[in-house]
Amino acid sequence: MDTADYECILVERDDGYVTVTMNRPHRRNALSSAHMRELIAAFEEIGASDALGITLAANGPVFSAGHDFAEVAAADHAQARELLRTCTHLMRTLQSVPQVVIARVHGLATAAGCQLVASCDLAVAAHSAGFAAPGGKGGWFCHTPMVAISRNIGRKRAMEMALTGDVVDAATAAEWGLVNQAVPDDKLHQATRDLLERATRGGPRSKALGKQAMYAQLDRPESDAYTYALEVMAASSQTPEAREGVAAFLEKRSPSWPT
């Protein structure tokens, strides 16, 4: 994980935790194809490592302004489609890596930038943060960002964001479920780390399977979700981590997770 390999992002490891920082402040951290490919590469590399959790952060006054319109303006239909395919790949990568991924949001997160936040497992926002899908008041509707956003906040609120394009403040985003917490700006780093540490307790392999299974069952009808979750939970009861977790509970000791 050598930051020297990247032009658009910074990657830093602190013990078991890795922070990926979008570092295009002069472009409001707009998601160009190159920027998204670097994010995908970094998350895939971290995903294959022994890291416990990943924080997605940003430098500059804006978290992310979404797609880079300079690139969009020059794109034909095939190129625009490829740009959106890369973006979709990025969003799905955030959810497919085994580690917990948390967004640490300050400033505006708009369009695909808001989609990034919605696609992370968890998110903490500073009071200065704002969230929007501004395509509704422009000429290019936020079709793909709303896939992730609507799955966080429900239909009526999603329609409000999509149709009005208005900025939603951090407190409202927390109330709606787009982020887990809204905190004072000077508490953002600590609150994000605290939540990440709490979310990474337990056996790492169990956590990775749990994350995968959560995403697999969330959009299924309840009966299908139970059928799927039942089989996953029964199978996982036989894993070394599950055995150790149960034994530690019964023996009133701290677990020692298998390596």
Side-chain angles (χ1 to χ4, degrees):
M1 285 173 279
D2 187 352
T3 291
D5 295 336
Y6 301 115
E7 295 182 359
C8 302
I9 63 174
L10 303 173
V11 180
E12 181 181 10
R13 179 156 181 167
D14 177 16
D15 293 328
Y17 300 101
V18 180
T19 299
V20 177
T21 304
M22 295 181 285
N23 193 38
R24 298 183 75 211
H26 60 291
R27 295 293 299 162
R28 298 164 64 87
N29 293 313
L31 296 173
S32 66
S33 293
H35 188 178
M36 291 190 290
R37 285 195 293 268
E38 287 193 3
L39 285 168
I40 291 166
F43 273 89
E44 288 180 342
E45 183 178 0
I46 299 164
S49 76
D50 62 352
L52 296 175
I54 310 170
T55 299
L56 177 62
N59 281 335
V62 172
F63 181 79
S64 176
H67 288 298
D68 191 327
F69 271 25
E71 185 176 13
V72 172
D76 60 21
H77 180 232
Q79 291 166 333
R81 191 169 184 272
E82 185 58 31
L83 175 69
L84 294 169
R85 284 173 60 88
T86 302
C87 185
T88 300
H89 183 188
L90 169 59
M91 304 303 163
R92 297 180 77 89
T93 299
L94 298 176
Q95 297 181 348
S96 67
V97 295
Q99 292 86 358
V100 177
V101 179
I102 189 167
R104 188 177 74 208
V105 189
H106 72 280
L108 284 173
T110 61
C114 190
Q115 183 183 5
L116 267 180
V117 177
S119 298
C120 289
D121 306 320
L122 303 167
V124 178
H127 286 163
S128 65
F131 305 86
K137 60 181 180 182
W140 194 32
F141 198 84
C142 289
H143 298 281
T144 51
M146 291 312 303
V147 172
I149 295 168
S150 64
R151 281 162 171 74
N152 281 244
I153 66 176
R155 291 190 180 191
K156 288 293 188 290
R157 288 164 174 167
M159 287 298 258
E160 181 178 341
M161 286 191 72
L163 297 174
T164 68
D166 290 343
V167 174
V168 173
D169 63 34
T172 303
E175 179 187 346
W176 286 7
L178 184 59
V179 301
N180 297 87
Q181 301 173 26
V183 300
D185 285 52
D186 62 352
K187 305 293 185 185
L188 178 61
H189 282 64
Q190 190 59 53
T192 303
R193 182 60 176 256
D194 288 347
L195 179 55
L196 182 59
E197 288 181 355
R198 287 188 286 116
T200 52
R201 291 178 296 199
R205 292 185 183 87
S206 173
K207 189 81 65 175
L209 178 59
K211 171 178 169 174
Q212 179 187 51
M214 280 288 290
Y215 283 117
Q217 65 90 3
L218 279 172
D219 294 320
R220 297 178 184 227
E222 185 176 288
S223 60
D224 290 349
Y226 269 120
T227 298
Y228 169 79
L230 183 156
E231 295 301 337
V232 173
M233 196 163 185
S236 67
S237 73
Q238 305 305 301
T239 63
E241 284 194 341
R243 294 293 195 186
E244 170 60 11
V246 171
F249 176 81
L250 292 174
E251 295 164 15
K252 297 181 172 56
R253 60 174 174 81
S254 297
S256 177
W257 304 119
T259 57

